[in-house]
Amino acid sequence: MTGFQNLSSADPAVRKAALDDLIKDKLVSETSRLELLKDLFTNDPDPEIRAAARKYFHLFSVETAIPDHPSASEIHAIQAQKIEENLSIVFETRSSSEKFQLLKQLIKARVKISREWLVRALDTEKDIFIIAALISLLGKNGDQLDGPVLFRFLQHQDSRVRANAIEALVALKAESAYPEIVPLLQDSDARVKSNAALVLSGIGLEAVLRILKDMIFSGKIHAIESAIYALGKMKSPLAKLLLRSAREKLAVLDVHRPD
């Protein structure tokens, strides 16, 4: 065997030399080069070879050939695909801190990422900091249909996740989320509470009262208690009337509440 064909050698020194040949060889196709590099950084037993292969993989991914005379949409599609391919590899192979730093850079650079990729990542991610960053990116790249995806994060144990979920829902204009946000006016975290208040103050008094009225007549004790808290902070005469109705409704439900 000669050149980069020695990548399968049992000798690490021979494989390192073969990796150098692979990088320098101008005859091998970019697709084949990337496939070989991916196999190396995934499967090679030598950590130095894996690290070098991973570095070169990312370099060649960025430089992958673009068609002659591409349109703007073709360039955008290629760039988006490469970003998501690289993200998937990073999420499979890198530490949590490295993944978080990359996501921070993407947020700052306003890079477009498909909502499908972000939703998949949120379904499996466990790290709190990464979840918070993914939520922010979904707020910038998703649509109103992603509201239900974010609802569960309004009740998350971590305050930054809850706060980011509110901001993302606002960015997506997910109006169906407003009743879910009202209870967060009582949140123990100042940022979460402030975000909830800003959302509700921004949609107008009439809209807020309509949401609170629906909560009162939902028959759910927790929803009524949250509505009472919000109405108690409002000075509108209509709010005071609703507050009285809410208290009466709660009193009736309390009588039948199990001990």
Side-chain angles (χ1 to χ4, degrees):
M1 293 189 294
T2 59
F4 65 82
Q5 294 175 0
N6 287 310
L7 290 170
S8 59
S9 170
D11 187 338
V14 174
R15 295 201 305 278
K16 287 178 184 177
L19 174 58
D20 289 338
D21 289 339
L22 175 63
I23 299 309
K24 295 173 185 175
D25 196 316
K26 295 182 179 180
L27 296 179
V28 65
S29 72
E30 291 302 320
T31 300
S32 296
R33 194 194 318 266
L34 289 173
E35 288 177 353
L36 289 166
L37 287 170
K38 183 176 181 181
D39 182 67
L40 271 179
F41 78 68
T42 303
N43 299 313
D44 197 280
D46 188 296
E48 290 185 14
I49 294 177
R50 291 200 304 272
R54 183 184 296 116
K55 179 183 74 172
Y56 286 123
F57 180 91
H58 289 300
L59 286 173
F60 282 105
S61 292
V62 173
E63 296 170 1
T64 298
I66 294 176
D68 293 334
H69 311 297
S71 66
S73 61
E74 286 175 325
I75 292 174
H76 177 77
I78 290 168
Q79 290 173 335
Q81 181 181 5
K82 284 300 166 192
I83 287 169
E84 287 162 27
E85 287 177 0
N86 287 341
L87 269 173
S88 296
I89 292 165
V90 168
F91 266 60
E92 291 172 4
T93 61
R94 298 295 184 89
S95 67
S96 291
S97 60
E98 289 175 308
K99 290 191 286 186
F100 179 64
Q101 290 304 320
L102 175 60
L103 292 175
K104 282 177 62 177
Q105 293 173 16
L106 292 174
I107 293 170
K108 186 175 181 180
R110 300 181 180 179
V111 174
K112 186 71 175 175
I113 303 171
S114 78
R115 58 169 296 277
E116 291 82 6
W117 188 92
L118 292 166
V119 171
R120 288 197 303 272
L122 277 170
D123 281 342
T124 57
E125 186 55 54
K126 304 298 181 186
D127 186 279
I128 288 171
F129 291 97
I130 296 173
I131 290 172
L134 288 169
I135 287 171
S136 293
L137 281 167
L138 185 57
K140 298 174 186 299
N141 293 277
D143 56 40
Q144 291 183 6
L145 297 177
D146 294 315
V149 174
L150 293 169
F151 284 176
R152 71 180 189 272
F153 295 108
L154 293 173
Q155 306 301 324
H156 196 276
Q157 61 182 358
D158 186 80
S159 61
R160 70 177 59 80
V161 171
R162 298 197 300 276
N164 283 16
I166 295 173
E167 292 172 0
L169 286 163
V170 172
L172 296 175
K173 297 181 172 58
E175 295 183 5
S176 61
Y178 293 154
E180 307 290 333
I181 291 173
V182 171
L184 297 179
L185 290 168
Q186 303 177 73
D187 198 274
S188 59
D189 181 80
R191 181 184 166 212
V192 175
K193 190 183 298 184
S194 174
N195 280 359
L198 284 172
V199 171
L200 297 174
S201 65
I203 65 174
L205 177 62
E206 184 177 342
V208 171
L209 291 176
R210 185 165 57 248
I211 290 168
L212 295 175
K213 182 178 179 181
D214 289 342
M215 292 173 69
I216 291 167
F217 288 95
S218 69
K220 299 176 181 177
I221 290 176
H222 178 68
I224 297 171
E225 288 174 339
S226 296
I228 287 173
Y229 179 87
L231 289 164
K233 301 291 183 182
M234 302 169 70
K235 297 180 179 179
S236 160
L238 285 175
K240 293 185 183 301
L241 285 173
L242 269 181
L243 178 59
R244 187 183 309 150
S245 295
R247 285 173 173 161
E248 291 172 355
K249 190 82 172 175
L250 183 61
V252 170
L253 292 173
D254 270 338
V255 171
H256 302 286
R257 193 197 300 226
D259 294 331

